[in-house]
């Protein structure tokens, strides 16, 4: 028969673990917001003691929160050296953009195929709220606009039917939006993208024209990424744009591979015709 003090000890440990997880989730939300909005600079060292003081939490929930952010790609763990904010690079922005286009287009096509009246109403409502809150030069990082813009894009794919695919798209939005906010702060302006594209995407989606909607969405993401890259270029450690290695990323679309013809085989020196011998040739 278990002793009462043993059962009480086990219950206390479970309560403490639950409390740590709850606090860690709250801290993770605050840390991720500070990273995504640029309040914690890219590649900055995240020292545990100052963080615990700043966020008024203990060491255990802070470690757990940072470990969760490592899984989301917003924080990097340097072995025994601790944690730091994920750095930025042109290579990563290109990879995020291409992968986002591929996955979000896939989710959008599925949502158009399966979406119902509630899905259409959600798209119209989120687009209406976004239009009612335009960006202004005097407010570069507008958290209300950011929430409305994100809600609109995620509403488009909400009916795709795959929780896993939606989760990937959410994470890609986080990473992409982080670059946009850093770019806005670096350049002192908003990205220059077609203002009418959101409305055109809504019209095509409600018309259930999957091909046109996907094309417009891809154009919208690509235009935004191109201007973001120009805006944040001085902060990139790798200035020259690079393409992801073939076969190592979802960003490498198979259709592109099919469009490329095989490289021609060079004729070796041994295969070339040799000049005829000069012997016996009349002078």
């Amino acid at each position: 028969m278990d002793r009462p003090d043993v059962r009480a000890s086990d219950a206390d440990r479970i309560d403490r673990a639950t409390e740590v997880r709850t606090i860690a989730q709250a801290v993770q939300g605050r840390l991720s917001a500070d990273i995504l909005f640029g309040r914690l600079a890219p590649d900055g060292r995240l020292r545990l003691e100052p963080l615990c003081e700043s966020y008024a939490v203990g060491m255990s929930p802070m470690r757990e929160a940072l470990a969760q952010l490592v899984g989301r790609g917003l924080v990097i763990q340097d072995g025994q050296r601790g944690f730091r904010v994920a750095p930025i690079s042109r290579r990563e922005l290109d990879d995020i953009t291409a992968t986002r286009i591929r996955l979000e287009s896939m989710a959008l096509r599925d949502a158009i195929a399966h979406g119902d009246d509630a899905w259409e109403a959600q798209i119209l409502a989120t687009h209406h709220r976004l239009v009612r809150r335009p960006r202004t030069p005097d407010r570069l990082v507008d958290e209300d606009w950011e929430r409305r813009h994100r809600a609109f894009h995620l509403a488009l794919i909400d009916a795709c039917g795959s929780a896993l695919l939606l989760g990937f798209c959410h994470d890609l939005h986080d990473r992409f939006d982080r670059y946009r906010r850093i770019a806005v702060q670096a350049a002192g302006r908003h990205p220059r993208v077609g203002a009418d594209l959101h409305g055109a995407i809504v019209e095509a989606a409600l018309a259930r024209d999957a091909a046109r909607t996907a094309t417009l969405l891809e154009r919208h993401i690509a235009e935004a990424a191109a201007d973001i890259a120009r805006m944040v270029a001085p902060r990139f450690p790798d200035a020259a744009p690079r393409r992801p290695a073939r076969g190592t990323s979802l960003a490498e679309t198979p259709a592109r591979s099919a469009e490329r013809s095989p490289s021609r085989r060079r004729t070796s020196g041994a295969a070339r015709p040799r000049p005829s011998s000069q012997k016996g040739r009349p002078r």
Side-chain angles (χ1 to χ4, degrees):
M1 183 174 179
D2 292 335
R3 291 181 301 173
D5 58 336
V6 173
R7 288 198 300 270
S9 177
D10 290 342
D12 288 344
R13 280 198 295 270
I14 293 171
D15 289 343
R16 283 197 296 272
T18 303
E19 183 182 3
V20 167
R21 283 195 299 271
T22 302
I23 297 172
Q25 288 173 354
V27 174
Q28 181 194 173
R30 293 171 60 193
L31 278 168
S32 64
D34 287 341
I35 292 171
L36 293 173
F37 280 90
R39 291 186 284 267
L40 291 174
D43 213 25
R45 184 70 60 188
L46 296 170
R47 303 186 185 281
L48 288 173
E49 290 186 7
L51 283 175
C52 290
E53 292 179 9
S54 178
Y55 291 86
V57 296
M59 195 71 76
S60 294
M62 179 58 71
R63 285 184 181 276
E64 185 169 335
L66 290 171
Q68 291 169 355
L69 291 175
V70 170
R72 291 175 56 189
L74 298 179
V75 169
I76 290 176
Q77 186 169 11
D78 287 339
Q80 300 299 321
R81 298 175 60 190
F83 299 91
R84 59 190 174 95
V85 179
I88 60 172
S89 69
R90 178 61 188 268
R91 182 187 184 93
E92 185 189 51
L93 175 59
D94 289 345
D95 199 18
I96 290 169
T97 301
T99 307
R100 182 186 166 193
I101 286 173
R102 187 168 185 180
L103 292 189
E104 208 162 321
S105 297
M106 183 193 310
L108 180 61
R109 290 175 182 272
D110 289 345
I112 289 173
H114 303 300
D116 55 11
D117 291 346
W119 171 72
E120 292 185 358
Q122 186 181 16
I123 291 174
L124 288 169
T126 53
H127 180 248
H128 177 71
R129 285 194 289 269
L130 179 60
V131 170
R132 293 292 298 270
R133 184 58 182 264
R135 289 181 294 189
T136 57
D138 62 317
R139 203 165 187 177
L140 291 176
V141 179
D142 186 339
E143 297 193 24
D144 187 28
W145 182 90
E146 293 284 349
R147 283 191 293 269
R148 296 182 188 212
H149 183 254
R150 180 186 181 88
F152 167 69
H153 274 277
L154 295 179
L156 289 168
I157 62 174
D158 191 53
C160 72
S162 170
L164 192 59
L165 182 55
L166 282 174
F168 288 140
C169 290
H170 277 239
D171 288 344
L172 288 167
H173 265 277
D174 279 346
R175 298 191 187 197
F176 189 89
D177 289 351
R178 177 185 179 225
Y179 273 88
R180 186 182 64 247
R181 294 176 185 118
I182 292 171
V184 165
Q185 292 171 335
R189 66 171 177 84
H190 297 293
R192 299 189 180 102
V193 293
D196 58 337
L197 273 178
H198 284 151
I201 290 170
V202 171
E203 290 180 9
L206 297 183
R208 304 293 174 140
D209 189 339
R212 175 166 171 74
T213 313
T215 298
L216 289 170
L217 180 65
E218 291 171 11
R219 176 183 156 197
H220 175 49
I221 296 171
E223 283 184 2
D227 201 29
I228 287 168
R230 287 190 290 268
M231 293 162 67
V232 80
R235 297 193 181 184
F236 282 143
D238 52 343
R242 300 176 185 175
R243 292 176 56 84
R246 293 176 62 82
T248 61
S249 170
L250 284 172
E252 185 63 29
T253 308
R256 293 180 181 173
S257 303
E259 291 172 1
R260 298 192 181 107
S261 58
S263 58
R264 293 180 179 176
R265 196 179 290 174
R266 280 193 169 185
T267 308
S268 65
R272 292 173 185 163
R274 294 180 179 178
S276 57
S277 172
Q278 300 295 320
K279 189 176 180 180
R281 185 176 177 180
R283 296 182 179 179

